[in-house]
Structures are given as C-alpha cells and as structure tokens.
Amino acid sequence: MKIFDSHAHYDDERFDGEREELLKTLHENENVKYIVNAASSLASVLSSKTLAQKHDFVFFASGVHPEAADDDIKVDGWENFVENVSSHPKCVAIGEIGLDYYYGKETADIQKVVFAKQMEIAQKRNKPVVIHDREAHADCLSMVSDFPSVYGVFHSYSGSFEMAKDLLRRGWYISFNGILTFKNARKTVEVLEGIKDFENGKYLDRVLVETDCPYLAPVPFRGKTNHSGYIRYVAERAAEILSVTPDEFCELTYNNACRFFRLEGRI
C-alpha cells in the first residue's frame, strides 16, 4: 500500500508535542509516502512552509481559508505574501481557499473577495487550487467558472454528483476522506459510485484521497484526532465501492495526486 495524503493540517496545534515523531512513524512504518499540508491562514502559510522544509516527503499549499478571510484581509499586502510564498519549490498549490457558509453568510462578500484574489494568483503562477466548499456549492462553482484556465480539487467533497460531473468535465479533481465511512454519508458514497460508472469510469483518474487531519477521522476512530495512518480505513471503504482492492485504490490515488500536484519526475 502506497499512500499520498493530499490534504492535511499537521501544523494544527492538536499535533503539538507529537508532530515530529508522528510524521516520522507515518512515513517509515505506515506507508505514507507523501503529504500536502494545506495552509488555512497567513500564519499557517508560514508554519506549513516550515513543515515542508523539515521533511522531504511533505509539500504544502499557500492560501487563506474562508474562515480566516475576515481577519487576514486586514493585513496589508496579504495577497502579495500568499503569492510570494507560492514560488517556494515545495509549494504545490494555492489553498485552501473557497467559501464557507456553514456558520452564516455574514462574511460572504469578504470571502468572495479573498477567494477571487487567490484564484488570480493561481492563474498568474500557473498553480492548481485546493477548494474549500461548505454549503456554498453554487457560489464556488460560479467562482471557478470565472477562471477557466485554473484547475484544482474540491477537497472533502460535499456537493452533488451533478456538480461533480460538471467539475470532472472541466478537468477538476474530487477528493474523499473519512466522511466516506460515516453511516450518514450516503450522498458522498453516491458521488464515488457515480464517478465509477460515469462514462465507463473515465474520470477515476481525477479521484484523490485525504485526511483533512486532525479533523474527520474515519470509522472506527470517528471523533478522535485524525492522521494519515487512518487513510487505510477510507481506502477499504472506497475499494468496496469501486470493486477494487485497498492497495489498488491507494495506487490509483497516489498516481492521481502526483499528476495533480505536478510531482511526476520530482519524487
């Protein structure tokens, strides 16, 4: 089994005190070959870069999460900072960026401004984007439609299969995580089932796997701190849905992630 965790947050404070030992164990003993640490704020851009510099198998994404948009937009030159860090050789994407309406739409206008600025950076720098879309499907789709030359991934996908088909046809990727194992995750399961059957499985090369750790640990660890070693449980569920083996699913998503992050030939 060869695992590529395409979206993690190992700079999160929940990993303080165990981060280095955990990453070493995951890489050496748990078949976790590569990890992309997605930034969630300006401060997280720096900590994600530092983490990637310390570990050969860790890469990172530079970006401001929608929940941090209201604060980070007040920092003079914030967009220049995100863009400048994105030129680092271990920065493989702009992210995570997007819209989050779960806690209300009070900051929706600010989120959209920050989202659009970062799509412009991705377009200028020719970088893929990592999209956070929580209860904002229509607006996220509208935003990415405004930048047809930019491609990316909707991480922790929560949209409909119809939206997934639209994204796949545009060249976008869809990422799955521990939610796939939840008993109430029928919609997510249906999306992966749909991708399997859509145009004879043509778009299975656009499927990624992630943890979004420390969040969204799969069953039987739901509610606990998530980490990349638990991807095997997501792989088992995904393999069942796709009628392949867990090893085959991990090999598929490993190759897909290498292609998505343009790491082929570099690792």
Side-chain angles (χ1 to χ4, degrees), residues 8 26 29 39 41-42 66 106 157 193 227 246 255 267:
L26 291 170
N29 302 326
S41 65
L42 295 179
E106 292 81 5
Y157 188 75
E193 289 174 338
H227 63 68
N255 292 331
I267 57 177

Side-chain angles (χ1 to χ4, degrees), residues 80-124:
N80 294 327
F81 176 79
V82 170
E83 180 176 353
N84 290 339
V85 175
S86 75
S87 66
H88 190 282
K90 296 204 76 179
C91 180
V92 292
I94 302 299
E96 66 183 282
I97 65 177
L99 301 171
D100 191 317
Y101 296 164
Y102 180 73
Y103 292 107
K105 296 186 178 181
E106 292 81 5
T107 64
D109 290 343
I110 292 174
Q111 289 184 41
K112 288 177 181 178
V113 169
V114 172
F115 189 4
K117 286 286 187 183
Q118 293 179 106
M119 289 293 287
E120 290 172 3
I121 292 170
Q123 181 173 261
K124 179 179 177 181

Side-chain angles (χ1 to χ4, degrees), residues 192-193 196 234-246 249:
L192 186 55
E193 289 174 338
K196 173 189 175 184
V234 181
E236 288 172 0
R237 182 67 181 110
E240 180 184 357
I241 294 167
L242 297 177
S243 301
V244 297
T245 68
F249 176 76

Side-chain angles (χ1 to χ4, degrees), residues 177-185 215-224 226 229-237:
N177 53 29
I179 292 174
L180 201 63
T181 69
F182 297 174
K183 289 183 178 179
N184 60 346
Y215 316 105
L216 300 175
V219 174
F221 302 101
R222 187 172 182 180
K224 298 183 182 298
N226 197 9
Y230 293 160
I231 277 184
R232 65 181 63 250
Y233 296 93
V234 181
E236 288 172 0
R237 182 67 181 110

Side-chain angles (χ1 to χ4, degrees), residues 166-183:
D166 188 353
L167 290 168
L168 292 168
R169 284 172 170 152
R170 295 169 186 244
W172 284 64
Y173 287 61
I174 305 292
S175 186
F176 298 89
N177 53 29
I179 292 174
L180 201 63
T181 69
F182 297 174
K183 289 183 178 179

Side-chain angles (χ1 to χ4, degrees), residues 48-206:
S48 296
K49 182 180 77 167
T50 298
L51 196 65
Q53 289 173 324
K54 291 178 70 174
H55 300 277
D56 289 344
F57 60 95
V58 177
F59 295 87
F60 78 101
S62 175
V64 173
H65 188 287
E67 289 185 14
D70 194 31
D71 289 327
D72 284 354
I73 197 174
K74 298 171 187 173
V75 177
D76 288 341
W78 71 267
E79 63 267 52
N80 294 327
F81 176 79
V82 170
E83 180 176 353
N84 290 339
V85 175
S86 75
S87 66
H88 190 282
K90 296 204 76 179
C91 180
V92 292
I94 302 299
E96 66 183 282
I97 65 177
L99 301 171
D100 191 317
Y101 296 164
Y102 180 73
Y103 292 107
K105 296 186 178 181
E106 292 81 5
T107 64
D109 290 343
I110 292 174
Q111 289 184 41
K112 288 177 181 178
V113 169
V114 172
F115 189 4
K117 286 286 187 183
Q118 293 179 106
M119 289 293 287
E120 290 172 3
I121 292 170
Q123 181 173 261
K124 179 179 177 181
R125 290 289 184 173
N126 191 28
K127 295 272 189 182
V129 294
V130 179
I131 301 297
H132 174 100
D133 167 21
R134 194 174 189 190
E135 298 190 5
H137 307 317
D139 284 353
C140 279
L141 188 58
S142 176
M143 181 68 74
V144 302
S145 298
D146 289 339
F147 295 86
S149 65
V150 177
Y151 82 99
V153 58
F154 272 62
H155 103 90
S156 190
Y157 188 75
S158 60
S160 67
F161 177 54
E162 289 304 311
M163 179 175 165
K165 288 195 294 185
D166 188 353
L167 290 168
L168 292 168
R169 284 172 170 152
R170 295 169 186 244
W172 284 64
Y173 287 61
I174 305 292
S175 186
F176 298 89
N177 53 29
I179 292 174
L180 201 63
T181 69
F182 297 174
K183 289 183 178 179
N184 60 346
R186 187 61 205 164
K187 182 179 179 182
T188 306
V189 171
E190 288 175 350
V191 171
L192 186 55
E193 289 174 338
I195 295 174
K196 173 189 175 184
D197 297 329
F198 181 42
E199 297 186 12
N200 297 314
K202 174 182 177 181
Y203 297 104
L204 286 173
D205 64 353
R206 306 274 181 74

Side-chain angles (χ1 to χ4, degrees), residues 9-20 22 225:
H9 299 285
Y10 281 107
D11 60 321
D12 190 278
E13 63 183 10
R14 292 190 219 184
F15 293 113
D16 289 354
E18 64 172 354
R19 183 178 294 107
E20 300 306 317
L22 175 60
T225 299

